[in-house]
């Protein structure tokens, strides 16, 4: 079908179906599809004074299908406007999907480098797909044209690769006047690796080297790689598939991780340290970074996980992005905090005076569907603190800080599955002071402890009348020194 017909069909479908979705779990301050399905954030870019976020999108059903790119733009990073769909699977090299990729400004144009995905009928000993990297560009930041020379990057013949030729999710950065792209792939032994390419103009690329690859329990495929720079440090951020659980770590189906290290541009190799999770919750995947002009490295992820139950599918939509976060280096590790622009969304505040409590407390003003809870605690008289969301109901989520173990546990009950599951994170500096910032947005919680020392994100699906936050001291008396719930502005 010609692009113009595809565009007309998709936009007409969205216009007719977006008003019909049920909004009981639909976010108010997160980017989510108007109807249909979304996954990975894509194309994060700063262009002509505005932030651009695209995402993997299938408009026609609330489940994964041939990928389009949807598009949202913002001047301040927190109030967004929707733009028309940017990419359609309309070419022979992307016929089964415009898969994940990146965005960047060059010579007054906004470029997108993405994966063209083509499904092949699986035959023994032959790949089940062709994945190549394709370029699109726009002068106005709204209408995109695909480059005549596509695909611009093919799987290099000299690279040994797994049977299925996984080769996707390019992310470009600039160094010393040249462009570098990292692309996710597999080795012939089916372990994850990322490949480095180099270009002067974004159109002609040459393969440099295997930039990094899995060692030991680091997965069979590395999706969505990013090279990131923050606070004078370099990092590789990616989403490995197939990492096996190690005790209480790596319990999700797939992971999103960061490795600090140093890029050797001569050799084309990233020398790195260990692999650490970026978010310890149930629902966080495929994060992408964006270096912005003030020097910060921002990050947005998909606030879902493949193969999680997604009850909003019955409401005609599925999936959402995280809030924008900042990456920093503190006390020898990577921390993520809400982007400082999130403060701009604050509206009415519901503040509680400092309180000591030795049994459960709840503040009716805080029992809302969306908003930000910002609290500080003195735990010197207790072992820890539990905070329960939808307390006592079927879809309860609990955050339990145990200061003696230096650990936080996130538990989620699910009415949809009948299961209760937990995830854990270390809180190395958790002594007597605890700070908590939680962004609650109808069906999601993003929990930041001790200024990003541990971040845990999860979806949850309580009913309106079940919005009850309860604070529960553990073995003693807790003092809440600050406690405010902010209502937040809508972002669209
Ligand atoms: C990650 C991913 C990417 C791929 C995209 C397809 O969630 O599998 O590797 O490009 O989703 O939608």
């Amino acid at each position: 079908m010609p692009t113009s017909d595809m565009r007309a069909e998709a936009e007409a479908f969205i216009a007719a179906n977006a008003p019909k979705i049920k909004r009981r779990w639909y976010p108010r301050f997160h980017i989510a599809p108007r109807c249909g399905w979304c996954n990975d954030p894509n194309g994060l870019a700063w262009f002509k004074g505005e932030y651009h976020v695209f995402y993997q999108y299938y408009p026609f059903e609330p489940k994964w299908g041939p990928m389009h790119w949807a598009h949202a733009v913002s001047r301040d990073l927190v109030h967004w406007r929707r733009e028309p769909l940017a990419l359609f699977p309309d070419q022979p090299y992307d016929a089964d999907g415009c898969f994940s990729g990146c965005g960047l400004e060059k010579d007054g144009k906004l470029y997108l480098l993405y994966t063209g995905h083509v499904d092949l009928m699986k035959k023994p000993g032959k790949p089940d797909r062709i994945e190549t990297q394709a370029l699109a560009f726009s002068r106005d930041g709204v209408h995109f044209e695909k480059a005549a020379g596509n695909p611009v990057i093919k799987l290099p013949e000299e690279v040994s690769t797994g049977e299925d030729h996984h080769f996707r999710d390019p992310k470009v950065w600039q160094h010393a006047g040249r462009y570098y792209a990292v692309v996710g792939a597999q080795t012939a032994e089916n372990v994850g690796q990322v490949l480095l390419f180099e270009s002067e103009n974004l159109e002609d690329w040459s393969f440099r080297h295997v930039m990094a690859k899995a060692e030991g329990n680091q997965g069979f495929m590395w999706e969505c790689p990013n090279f990131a720079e923050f606070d004078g440090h370099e990092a590789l951020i990616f989403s490995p598939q197939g990492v096996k659980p190690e005790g209480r770590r790596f319990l999700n189906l797939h992971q999103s991780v960061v490795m600090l290290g140093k890029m050797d541009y001569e050799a084309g190799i990233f020398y790195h340290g260990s692999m650490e999770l970026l978010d310890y919750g149930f629902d966080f995947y495929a994060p992408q970074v964006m270096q912005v002009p003030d020097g910060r490295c921002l990050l947005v992820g998909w606030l879902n996980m493949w193969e999680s139950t997604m009850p909003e599918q019955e409401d005609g939509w599925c999936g959402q992005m995280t809030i924008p976060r900042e990456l920093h280096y503190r006390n020898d590790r990577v921390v993520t905090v809400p982007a400082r622009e999130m403060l701009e969304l604050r509206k009415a505040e519901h503040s509680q005076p400092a309180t000591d409590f030795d049994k459960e407390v709840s503040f009716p003003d805080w029992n809302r569907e969306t908003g930000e809870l910002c609290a500080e605690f003195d735990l010197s008289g207790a072992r820890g603190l539990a905070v329960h969301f939808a307390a006592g109901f079927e879809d309860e989520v609990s955050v339990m800080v145990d200061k003696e173990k230096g650990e936080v546990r996130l538990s989620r009950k699910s009415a949809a599955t009948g299961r209760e599951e937990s995830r854990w994170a270390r809180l190395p500096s958790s002594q007597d002071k605890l700070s908590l910032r939680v962004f609650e947005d109808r069906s999601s919680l993003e929990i930041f402890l001790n200024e990003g020392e541990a971040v845990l994100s999860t979806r949850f699906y309580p009913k309106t009348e079940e919005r009850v936050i309860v604070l529960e001291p553990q073995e003693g008396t807790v003092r809440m020194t600050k406690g405010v719930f902010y209502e937040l502005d809508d972002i669209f």
Side-chain angles (χ1 to χ4, degrees):
M1 199 193 286
T3 310
S4 53
D5 291 0
M6 263 192 180
R7 177 183 296 282
E9 188 190 20
E11 298 289 2
F13 185 91
I14 297 166
N17 287 279
K20 295 186 197 154
I21 66 164
K22 265 210 217 160
R23 303 185 79 86
R24 57 185 163 163
W25 292 319
Y26 194 83
R28 294 182 60 178
F29 63 90
H30 288 83
I31 297 174
R34 293 174 65 197
C35 62
W37 164 276
C38 78
N39 54 285
D40 317 357
N42 291 158
L44 265 55
W46 170 258
F47 178 66
K48 295 189 178 165
E50 295 187 307
Y51 300 96
H52 290 249
V53 169
F54 302 79
Y55 52 86
Q56 292 281 282
Y57 183 45
Y58 184 61
F60 301 109
E61 276 175 288
K63 60 183 196 189
W64 193 88
M67 282 293 131
H68 302 48
W69 278 35
H71 188 191
V73 181
S74 171
R75 276 184 198 288
D76 61 3
L77 198 63
V78 284
H79 295 94
W80 296 85
R81 65 173 191 274
R82 296 185 191 271
E83 293 291 6
L85 301 189
L87 296 179
F88 300 83
D90 57 5
Q91 299 296 320
Y93 55 81
D94 62 17
D96 295 307
C98 298
F99 276 16
S100 285
C102 61
L104 80 161
E105 189 275 338
K106 176 181 172 286
D107 302 334
K109 289 186 211 143
L110 179 56
Y111 282 85
L112 307 176
L113 185 68
Y114 70 97
T115 299
H117 176 89
V118 177
D119 282 329
L120 301 177
M121 291 288 283
K122 179 73 184 158
K123 298 203 182 78
K126 297 260 189 257
D128 68 349
R129 65 190 61 213
I130 303 173
E131 291 183 330
T132 54
Q133 319 315 320
L135 196 62
F137 59 92
S138 166
R139 287 187 176 77
D140 61 4
V142 177
H143 303 95
F144 288 84
E145 199 177 311
K146 292 180 183 172
N150 276 340
V152 293
I153 306 181
K154 292 184 178 161
L155 188 62
E157 277 169 17
E158 65 265 43
V159 171
S160 64
T161 184
E163 178 174 310
D164 280 332
H165 292 193
H166 291 273
F167 179 50
R168 60 179 172 274
D169 311 337
K171 179 77 167 82
V172 177
W173 75 100
Q174 255 183 302
H175 174 78
R178 301 181 75 82
Y179 296 97
Y180 293 87
V182 61
V183 185
Q186 272 185 326
T187 70
E189 298 77 36
N190 289 334
V191 307
Q193 65 177 347
V194 289
L195 307 179
L196 180 71
F197 296 81
E198 186 177 336
S199 172
E200 280 180 6
N201 55 15
L202 297 180
E203 280 165 32
D204 306 298
W205 290 89
S206 54
F207 172 59
R208 287 292 310 279
H209 208 270
V210 174
M211 189 166 131
K213 72 175 178 199
E215 287 158 25
N217 181 30
Q218 293 185 338
F220 59 73
M221 167 66 194
W222 286 7
E223 295 190 310
C224 303
N226 297 252
F227 178 74
E229 293 172 281
F230 46 92
D231 301 342
H233 291 266
E234 295 178 349
L236 185 63
I237 288 175
F238 59 101
S239 295
Q241 297 180 298
V243 177
K244 297 188 187 66
E246 289 176 5
R248 291 175 166 184
R249 293 210 308 164
F250 306 138
L251 296 178
N252 288 351
L253 177 69
H254 303 317
Q255 323 300 322
S256 293
V257 300
V258 55
M259 285 171 163
L260 287 165
K262 189 79 201 136
M263 186 67 203
D264 179 341
Y265 286 93
E266 282 295 305
I269 296 173
F270 184 70
Y271 294 100
H272 58 79
S274 60
M275 188 170 101
E276 304 299 333
L277 287 172
L278 276 166
D279 185 304
Y280 291 82
F282 296 98
D283 294 294
F284 181 79
Y285 196 62
Q288 187 170 94
V289 303
M290 156 167 52
Q291 307 285 159
V292 294
D294 64 17
R296 284 178 301 165
C297 182
L298 304 179
L299 174 134
V300 176
W302 179 42
L303 221 172
N304 282 89
M305 174 50 62
W306 294 106
E307 294 179 25
S308 278
T309 29
M310 299 172 180
E312 73 263 34
Q313 286 175 312
E314 64 192 63
D315 293 351
W317 66 282
C318 191
Q320 65 179 68
M321 302 298 115
T322 65
I323 59 166
R325 304 174 181 184
E326 288 174 22
L327 284 166
H328 290 288
Y329 181 85
R330 207 173 66 219
N331 300 335
D332 298 330
R333 52 204 293 266
V334 178
V335 297
T336 39
V337 294
R340 63 166 183 250
E341 287 85 347
M342 288 303 290
L343 299 176
E344 306 295 320
L345 286 181
R346 287 180 178 173
K347 296 199 304 185
E349 61 178 82
H350 304 277
S351 183
Q352 290 299 323
T355 326
D356 290 312
F357 54 101
D358 60 6
K359 53 180 176 321
E360 291 185 359
V361 283
S362 180
F363 307 107
D365 262 356
W366 292 5
N367 297 337
R368 292 169 190 275
E369 288 188 332
T370 80
E372 176 192 349
L373 173 61
C374 199
E376 284 168 19
F377 302 94
D378 180 344
L379 303 180
S380 49
R383 171 161 185 159
L385 171 72
V387 184
H388 306 280
F389 298 84
F393 291 99
E394 268 182 320
D395 282 272
E396 177 169 352
V397 168
S398 301
V399 190
M400 288 159 282
V401 172
D402 183 326
K403 90 175 177 200
E404 275 164 36
K405 289 193 186 153
E407 174 181 278
V408 53
R409 170 177 172 182
L410 176 73
S411 293
R412 167 170 82 172
K413 290 186 200 155
S414 159
T417 63
R419 278 202 309 268
E420 180 170 358
E421 303 171 281
S422 293
R423 298 289 183 267
W424 288 265
R426 305 284 311 148
L427 273 182
S429 73
S430 166
Q431 304 297 328
D432 288 336
K433 296 267 179 283
L434 174 73
S435 81
L436 178 72
R437 241 177 118 182
V438 182
F439 291 86
E440 175 173 8
D441 198 3
R442 289 214 175 116
S443 58
S444 67
L445 293 168
E446 291 167 271
I447 300 158
F448 297 81
L449 293 152
N450 292 347
E451 314 290 329
E453 195 172 54
V455 186
L456 304 109
S457 302
T458 187
R459 302 296 302 275
F460 83 139
Y461 299 91
K463 300 188 180 72
T464 305
E465 62 278 15
E466 297 175 356
R467 304 277 165 178
V468 181
I469 300 177
V470 168
L471 309 181
E472 182 193 12
Q474 308 286 293
E475 298 178 24
T477 299
V478 169
R479 180 168 180 78
M480 183 171 80
T481 51
K482 174 185 164 187
V484 192
F485 193 100
Y486 295 94
E487 295 179 45
L488 298 184
D489 208 1
D490 286 0
I491 63 165
F492 284 105

